[in-house]
Amino acid sequence: MSSQSQSKALEIRSLRKSYEGFTLDNISFDVPNGYITGFIGPNGAGKTTTIKLLLDIAMADSGSVRVFGEEKSIYLNNQIGVVTDEPPFADFWSCDDLESVLSAFYDRWDKLAFDSHLKRFEIDRKKAIKELSRGMKVKLMIAVALSHDAKILVLDEPTSGLDPVARDEICTLLGDFICDEKHSVLFSTHITSDLEKIADYVVFILDGRLIFNGSKEELIENFVHIKGGRDELSVEQRALVIGIREHGTGFAGMASISDIEKLPNTAVYDPITLDEMIIYFNKELKNNA
Amino acid sequence: MRKLGAFLRLELKTIAEQTTPLYIALYLIALLLFVLTTQSVWMGVVVGILSAVTLVNYLFHVSEKNNMDALYPLLGLSRKDVVCGRCIFGFLLTVVVVTIVSFASFLLVAALDAMLPGLREMAEIDFSVPYASQLLFLLTTVVVTMGVLQLPIYFKMGYSRAKNIAIIIPSIIVLIFAGFMGFVMGANSVGDKLAAVNAFLDSPVFIVMCIAVLVFAALVSYRLSLKFYQSRDF
């Protein structure tokens, strides 16, 4: 295994999956080792599909996945901890039941660690999973992932529907998880404010296609928010504004830094957030449809 | 082997809600009432078969309701591991439930006979060892045939979509089986028919036929289930 491969926790190449009415088209990106990679896009963009393909929950039409440089087989899934909004466990199980089931599958199951995480998260061992709040369920899945010594954590919308306190706690946990630089996180969410706090890299997909894959700073610095008055844009300039919205008094949209010179200097340029970026790319997609 | 053991444990935990002492006690009370009403060991056995089939169906129900098909790959279980493990678990569960319920029914009918002599049909049944082994063959064949026809449907469609289709199959098989047993019981009063049936059940042809049906059924069920399950996304 090369050191370059070791620096990549996951390498996803040309992943493709077609459903009726939707195609995940040729998705390729890396999840660098020791960092948090945010996976963003509007609902229906293909984030969950990509994660399912990555974990063999759905079958890809084509493409490949490597885990720490090794061709992924289902048996490498024990290196991956998965956190979803709803745990895939029988809802009447208690944490004791869950541990007795899971410990039989994981070679590196750490009973003490599981106990300590449950105490840390204040989860009652005897309580049935269905009696736990959403935030507690997410924490339980994180506890499971941390107890079988997962090297990679894949989170699929874990913070949706959680209050800001619970979301902040989870973000702190993820920060702790990667602090030894041997662990990695792929964090899919549409609550981009969480990612703005903790993500190092961002993968952005839209309508099944990869829009951006790189560092968060690179993405945010590459685009700006642009606002201007009516008739301020020529036809050529209008085409350079991504997701343009026109209203009574003017227009708003997003522009690439590389296009700024071609756009009017009378317009107002502001830094853009990840949320706004998703909105404008999505609008652009609809404008072109 | 370790993985199979772990999977069987997972499956057992998945149906744990239906195997609590309270449920088992309620089930035994229901069985007692059923046997009391019908006064027949055979009806108890039929109930046992249906119970086992219901538990296997329940397994599909719980796993679908909780999206556990998404859990299996996370535990490093391939589709093949899941299908193979569930077939083995379903078979073991069925054999265990049918054995326990048959034995319980036999005891209940025997107790009934002791308390209310002359009420039951038991006196006419010869429970010799060869007869019991013939019945075991027949029962196992019936049970596995049910599995053959039901498992692939569940693996293909999932519980919610398959339950209405799948429930028809055991009903038909149980009716055929009950009809066959009714014929044997009915033939009791006609000596030559009973002798013919007994002669067939006693013959090596019957045993070979049962084994052949079992092996064929198990292979068909497994291959179809695997084919269907491998093409599903969760």
Side-chain angles (χ1 to χ4, degrees):
Chain A
M1 203 188 304
S2 70
S3 59
Q4 197 186 0
S5 295
Q6 281 179 326
S7 70
K8 290 171 186 172
L10 292 170
E11 293 166 75
I12 289 127
R13 294 289 173 269
S14 309
L15 217 49
R16 191 184 156 82
K17 175 80 180 176
S18 280
Y19 292 110
E20 204 180 322
F22 176 78
T23 299
L24 188 78
D25 196 11
N26 211 25
I27 297 288
S28 300
F29 64 90
D30 296 332
V31 175
N33 195 17
Y35 296 97
I36 295 175
T37 301
F39 194 24
I40 60 171
N43 288 336
K47 302 189 297 291
T48 298
T49 302
T50 306
I51 287 175
K52 283 181 176 179
L53 297 178
L54 175 69
L55 298 168
D56 304 287
I57 294 168
M59 297 300 178
D61 297 337
S62 59
S64 68
V65 177
R66 298 178 84 85
V67 180
F68 294 113
E70 201 176 329
E71 189 73 41
K72 184 177 177 294
S73 74
I74 199 154
Y75 308 109
L76 285 175
N77 273 356
N78 60 8
Q79 298 198 26
I80 304 174
V82 179
V83 181
T84 53
D85 57 344
E86 198 57 43
F89 310 132
D91 58 3
F92 57 84
W93 285 352
S94 65
C95 293
D96 284 339
D97 294 327
L98 185 63
E99 182 172 28
S100 94
V101 168
L102 299 184
S103 60
F105 286 97
Y106 292 117
D107 294 331
R108 295 194 300 269
W109 181 265
D110 187 339
K111 201 173 164 52
L112 289 175
F114 187 61
D115 202 41
S116 130
H117 292 307
L118 291 184
K119 280 181 185 150
R120 179 183 172 193
F121 300 149
E122 296 172 345
I123 300 172
D124 183 353
R125 263 185 171 275
K126 302 290 172 198
K127 240 183 186 177
I129 292 170
K130 63 183 164 195
E131 290 168 23
L132 300 176
S133 66
R134 272 180 58 84
M136 286 295 185
K137 285 178 186 171
V138 171
K139 285 179 186 171
L140 175 62
M141 292 194 78
I142 293 177
V144 167
L146 299 181
S147 303
H148 71 80
D149 196 22
K151 297 281 181 282
I152 305 165
L153 212 51
V154 174
L155 301 102
D156 187 12
E157 303 281 3
T159 52
S160 56
L162 295 186
D163 63 61
V165 176
R167 277 170 33 215
D168 185 62
E169 261 184 290
I170 287 163
C171 290
T172 307
L173 275 170
L174 298 182
D176 293 346
F177 181 70
I178 56 145
C179 68
D180 65 355
E181 297 179 6
K182 289 175 185 164
H183 295 86
S184 318
V185 173
L186 177 64
F187 185 2
S188 156
T189 183
H190 59 259
I191 304 173
T192 51
S193 56
D194 292 341
L195 289 181
E196 280 175 1
K197 277 192 277 184
I198 59 165
D200 305 291
Y201 292 88
V202 172
V203 175
F204 179 16
I205 65 168
L206 187 65
D207 197 33
R209 282 172 295 163
L210 187 75
I211 300 292
F212 178 84
N213 172 25
S215 77
K216 181 181 68 185
E217 284 70 29
E218 196 186 331
L219 176 63
I220 290 173
E221 285 164 11
N222 263 337
F223 295 94
V224 285
H225 192 219
I226 174 172
K227 282 184 283 189
R230 263 179 91 87
D231 307 325
E232 204 167 333
L233 295 173
S234 67
V235 175
E236 292 77 21
Q237 286 172 328
R238 195 182 181 285
L240 297 175
V241 180
I242 300 163
I244 190 162
R245 278 180 185 170
E246 284 165 308
H247 43 84
T249 54
F251 75 93
M254 182 175 72
S256 168
I257 288 286
S258 57
D259 291 331
I260 280 189
E261 283 179 6
K262 299 171 200 160
L263 289 165
N265 53 16
T266 50
V268 178
Y269 298 93
D270 294 319
I272 197 157
T273 63
L274 288 175
D275 251 351
E276 289 168 327
M277 210 174 277
I278 293 174
I279 292 166
Y280 286 123
F281 271 119
N282 202 37
K283 181 84 172 54
E284 179 72 6
L285 184 81
K286 285 180 183 160
N287 288 348
N288 293 337
Chain B
M1 204 60 191
R2 175 177 173 254
K3 196 182 277 184
L4 176 64
F7 185 72
L8 294 180
R9 181 194 287 193
L10 191 160
E11 296 279 76
L12 199 57
K13 281 277 183 196
T14 306
I15 57 162
E17 219 179 14
Q18 293 288 319
T19 54
T20 58
L22 176 67
Y23 274 96
I24 292 171
L26 288 173
Y27 183 81
L28 285 176
I29 291 168
L31 185 68
L32 173 68
L33 291 173
F34 201 73
V35 171
L36 195 63
T37 316
T38 60
Q39 298 152 34
S40 162
V41 172
W42 278 112
M43 291 316 286
V45 170
V46 170
V47 171
I49 294 170
L50 283 174
S51 309
V53 170
T54 306
L55 274 177
V56 174
N57 293 353
Y58 180 73
L59 190 57
F60 280 95
H61 166 62
V62 176
S63 58
E64 183 179 276
K65 181 183 152 204
N66 296 289
N67 196 25
M68 290 172 73
D69 290 296
L71 171 68
Y72 306 137
L74 307 183
L75 299 173
L77 293 163
S78 66
R79 303 289 171 107
K80 192 177 173 183
D81 294 333
V82 174
V83 172
C84 185
R86 185 153 297 172
C87 288
I88 292 170
F89 181 79
F91 179 75
L92 291 177
L93 179 78
T94 307
V95 169
V96 168
V97 171
V98 167
T99 306
I100 291 171
V101 174
S102 306
F103 187 64
S105 302
F106 175 74
L107 289 180
L108 285 172
V109 171
L112 267 180
D113 183 50
M115 289 184 288
L116 304 162
L119 256 180
R120 65 183 177 89
E121 308 163 2
M122 274 282 297
E124 296 164 8
I125 302 171
D126 176 13
F127 260 90
S128 62
V129 172
Y131 191 76
S133 63
Q134 289 156 11
L135 290 182
L136 185 67
F137 268 119
L138 194 58
L139 269 179
T140 315
T141 310
V142 169
V143 166
V144 177
T145 308
M146 282 183 180
V148 161
L149 296 170
Q150 274 202 314
L151 286 179
I153 299 171
Y154 278 117
F155 275 116
K156 182 174 175 60
M157 303 169 80
Y159 179 79
S160 309
R161 287 172 59 211
K163 63 182 175 188
N164 293 332
I165 299 170
I167 204 157
I168 297 166
I169 293 159
S171 309
I172 292 169
I173 291 176
V174 166
L175 282 175
I176 293 169
F177 181 62
F180 175 73
M181 292 320 298
F183 168 72
V184 173
M185 297 307 168
N188 219 5
S189 56
V190 188
D192 55 342
K193 276 187 186 172
L194 181 65
V197 172
N198 271 340
F200 175 67
L201 292 180
D202 242 349
S203 70
V205 176
F206 170 71
I207 294 169
V208 170
M209 195 184 83
C210 281
I211 293 170
V213 169
L214 280 176
V215 172
F216 179 73
L219 283 175
V220 169
S221 176
Y222 175 72
R223 300 294 295 180
L224 279 177
S225 297
L226 186 59
K227 183 175 183 286
F228 293 148
Y229 195 61
Q230 271 177 333
S231 63
R232 280 186 71 197
D233 293 332
F234 301 102

